[in-house]
């Protein structure tokens, strides 16, 4: 089975060709600020990103002849996890999505390419996977409901891989999955469903290399109405210019970890504070699962850092066994999901939110 994978990020586009689960070819590039300067909204990047992908395929001599095309899911309306066939409702919701991100373009491009080679087009486990238990939704303000946005694709993929490694199914286990990346999500996975997780995109839970996480509401309200900032600037504080960037002027955790390990301040104090907020969120998810936790999985790019993992271990290793699965194989995870759908091993979901 020839599976073509598309993964648009905010400043990059990655593509890959898999034969079954074997990676045959991968390509992509970082898009500079200059490349994207003329686009005021993500939707305006559609033709640019599509032509970039088609150019890479042509240069590699890869014909548009695939058994399936699968893309990283976008910021759709809340929907359960799984593999979804791209349909018209999904495309409409991506074009008119409330939250802008380049991942919204993935399914649109995948569908057009799939039509060219007469094959199915899928997404799997988009960031908006919503499997919350009812009590996880409410806040103290009726007009504001908690939203499920997290690193669903990688979190569920590493969970399935871990379960397989111990001869079990994902649906048999209770797991806390900690995705440590530019954003940080800590989710409670109960028998194959993520019943609670912090909003890892726009303000909740741990602070991260680029995001503010949970902040004191009263002080934040005063900041919002201080007249010093526009709404756009305030939102950028929450996602993009918060966290380590706000404190240290950089989001390079490798460099920050090295400086912290050498005892250099403020790097040491700020990094330890970030990891402390992660540990607190793990504790919250432990309560969510009522202490019945088979493992705590640490994944994402920061999980490559022995220094960061060591600090986290000291704070959480008494709760449950810690499993280290660093990095995030989004491309492989997408190919795995597409292959499962083609073989009928993973049920195909229909996107039709209420």
């Amino acid at each position: 089975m020839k599976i073509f994978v598309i993964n648009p990020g905010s400043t990059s586009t990655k593509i890959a060709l898999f034969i079954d689960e074997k990676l045959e070819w991968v390509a992509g590039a970082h898009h500079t600020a200059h490349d994207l300067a003329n686009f005021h909204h993500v939707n305006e990047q559609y033709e640019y990103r599509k032509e970039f992908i088609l150019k890479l395929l042509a240069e590699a001599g890869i014909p548009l002849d695939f058994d399936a095309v699968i893309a990283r899911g976008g910021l759709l309306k809340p929907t359960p996890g799984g593999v979804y066939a791209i349909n018209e409702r999904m495309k409409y919701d991506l074009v008119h999505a409330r939250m802008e991100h380049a991942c919204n373009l993935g399914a649109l491009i995948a569908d057009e390419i799939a039509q060219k080679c007469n094959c199915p087009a899928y997404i799997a486990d988009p960031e908006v996977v919503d499997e919350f238990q009812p009590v996880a939704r409410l806040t103290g303000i009726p007009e504001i409901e908690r939203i499920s946005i997290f690193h669903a694709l990688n979190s569920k993929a590493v969970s399935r891989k871990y379960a397989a490694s111990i001869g079990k199914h994902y649906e048999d286990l209770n797991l806390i999955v900690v995705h440590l990346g530019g954003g940080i999500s800590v989710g409670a996975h109960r028998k194959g469903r993520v019943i609670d997780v912090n909003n890892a995109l726009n303000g909740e839970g741990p602070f991260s290399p680029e995001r503010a996480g949970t902040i004191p509401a009263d002080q934040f309200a005063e900041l919002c109405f201080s007249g010093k900032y526009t709404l756009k600037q305030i939102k950028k504080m929450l996602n993009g210019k918060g966290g380590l960037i706000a404190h240290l002027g950089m989001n390079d955790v490798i460099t920050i970890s090295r400086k912290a390990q050498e005892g250099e301040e403020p790097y040491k104090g700020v990094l330890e504070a970030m990891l402390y907020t992660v540990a607190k969120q793990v504790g919250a998810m432990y309560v969510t699962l009522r202490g019945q936790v088979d493992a705590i999985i640490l994944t994402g790019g920061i999980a490559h850092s022995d220094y960061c993992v060591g600090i986290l271990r000291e704070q959480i290793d008494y709760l449950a066994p810690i499993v280290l699965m660093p990095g995030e194989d989004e491309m492989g995870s997408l190919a795995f999901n597409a292959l499962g759908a083609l073989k009928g091993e993973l049920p195909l979901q229909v996107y039709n939110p209420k």
Side-chain angles (χ1 to χ4, degrees), residues 19-233:
I19 305 299
D20 292 338
E21 291 184 63
K22 183 183 177 185
L23 177 63
E24 291 290 322
W25 173 82
V26 65
H30 174 78
H31 303 296
T32 67
H34 181 265
D35 292 334
L36 303 177
N38 291 328
F39 303 112
H40 302 294
H41 299 283
V42 164
N43 286 348
E44 296 172 5
Q45 297 179 24
Y46 176 81
E47 288 295 331
Y48 166 77
R49 299 264 189 164
K50 183 189 75 173
E51 292 305 320
F52 174 80
I53 290 168
L54 294 175
K55 181 171 180 286
L56 289 177
L57 286 170
E59 289 174 348
I62 297 174
L64 296 182
D65 179 23
F66 309 120
D67 293 293
V69 182
I70 187 166
R72 177 184 174 190
L75 300 175
L76 293 158
K77 292 181 179 177
T79 190
V83 185
Y84 287 82
I86 296 170
N87 59 21
E88 293 303 312
R89 174 68 189 276
M90 182 185 295
K91 291 192 291 183
Y92 179 89
D93 284 354
L94 288 169
V95 170
H96 300 89
R98 185 173 64 87
M99 294 173 288
E100 286 198 11
H101 192 281
C103 64
N104 291 344
L105 300 174
L108 303 175
I109 298 171
D111 186 64
E112 183 170 338
I113 291 176
Q115 288 184 34
K116 291 178 185 293
C117 50
N118 196 29
C119 72
Y122 305 129
I123 66 164
D125 292 328
E127 284 89 340
V128 292
V129 163
D130 186 346
E131 298 165 340
F132 272 8
Q133 57 184 343
V135 294
R137 298 188 187 281
L138 297 186
T139 74
I141 299 177
E143 293 90 344
I144 299 176
E145 188 173 88
R146 292 187 63 239
I147 300 171
S148 177
I149 301 179
F150 68 111
H151 305 88
L153 179 63
N154 186 54
S155 295
K156 282 184 171 277
V158 296
S159 298
R160 291 187 183 280
K161 289 176 183 177
Y162 170 67
S165 74
I166 61 171
K168 294 189 176 182
H169 296 289
Y170 171 46
E171 292 76 14
D172 298 329
L173 302 175
N174 286 350
L175 303 168
I176 297 174
V177 182
V178 184
H179 180 103
L180 300 160
I184 294 176
S185 61
V186 183
H189 297 232
R190 185 177 68 194
K191 310 300 183 189
R193 296 179 66 83
V194 184
I195 61 171
D196 202 349
V197 65
N198 63 290
N199 182 329
L201 182 67
N202 47 23
E204 193 183 45
F207 73 84
S208 76
E210 299 174 357
R211 293 163 197 173
T214 297
I215 47 182
D218 185 71
Q219 292 166 250
F220 186 59
E222 289 186 3
L223 194 68
C224 291
F225 287 90
S226 67
K228 296 179 181 178
Y229 307 101
T230 63
L231 176 60
K232 185 176 181 180
Q233 289 171 322

